[in-house]
Amino acid sequence: LSYGYSLVGHVIECGGEVKGKGELIGKLVFAFAPHATQVVVDQSAVQVVPPGVDPYDAIFLPAVETALCIVHDAHLRFGENVAVFGQGLIGLLVTAVLQRAGSNSPTPGGM
């Protein structure tokens, strides 16, 4: 598993041992894998991207997972005021997660 390296793409071929390969061919999937035009990954490393999710949005799954973990690890209580210092990619996503959860987190640029 190579964290920091992830990709989104369509399944173009499956090995003979893959269960349900007929259902996977053509599906949009996410995987932790090095950046490349084509990769071979184990079936267990592939997550099917839900219909309607754009590939350009799906590629942010690892960053959103990081933001969710940060919020979870903060052990916030409902209604607490929260300030997020640093509004890079992860900071912006943490702020968005907090706002979706009903936190009184200031919006970026609103500080």
Side-chain angles (χ1 to χ4, degrees), residues 61-81:
L61 288 171
V64 173
E65 177 189 24
T66 299
L68 283 168
C69 288
I70 289 169
V71 171
H72 182 260
D73 290 346
H75 301 287
L76 301 171
R77 293 175 189 244
F78 183 76
E80 283 187 311
N81 292 324

Side-chain angles (χ1 to χ4, degrees), residues 28-106:
L28 184 66
V29 296
F30 168 88
F32 285 107
H35 304 295
T37 303
Q38 294 184 350
V39 295
V40 176
V41 295
D42 189 84
Q43 182 180 9
S44 65
V46 171
Q47 295 293 322
V48 175
V49 175
V53 175
D54 189 277
Y56 292 105
D57 292 331
I59 200 63
F60 287 102
L61 288 171
V64 173
E65 177 189 24
T66 299
L68 283 168
C69 288
I70 289 169
V71 171
H72 182 260
D73 290 346
H75 301 287
L76 301 171
R77 293 175 189 244
F78 183 76
E80 283 187 311
N81 292 324
V82 179
V84 178
F85 292 89
Q87 290 293 299
L89 175 61
I90 301 301
L92 287 169
L93 289 169
V94 167
T95 300
V97 168
L98 288 167
Q99 289 173 341
R100 296 280 297 204
S103 171
N104 295 321
S105 174

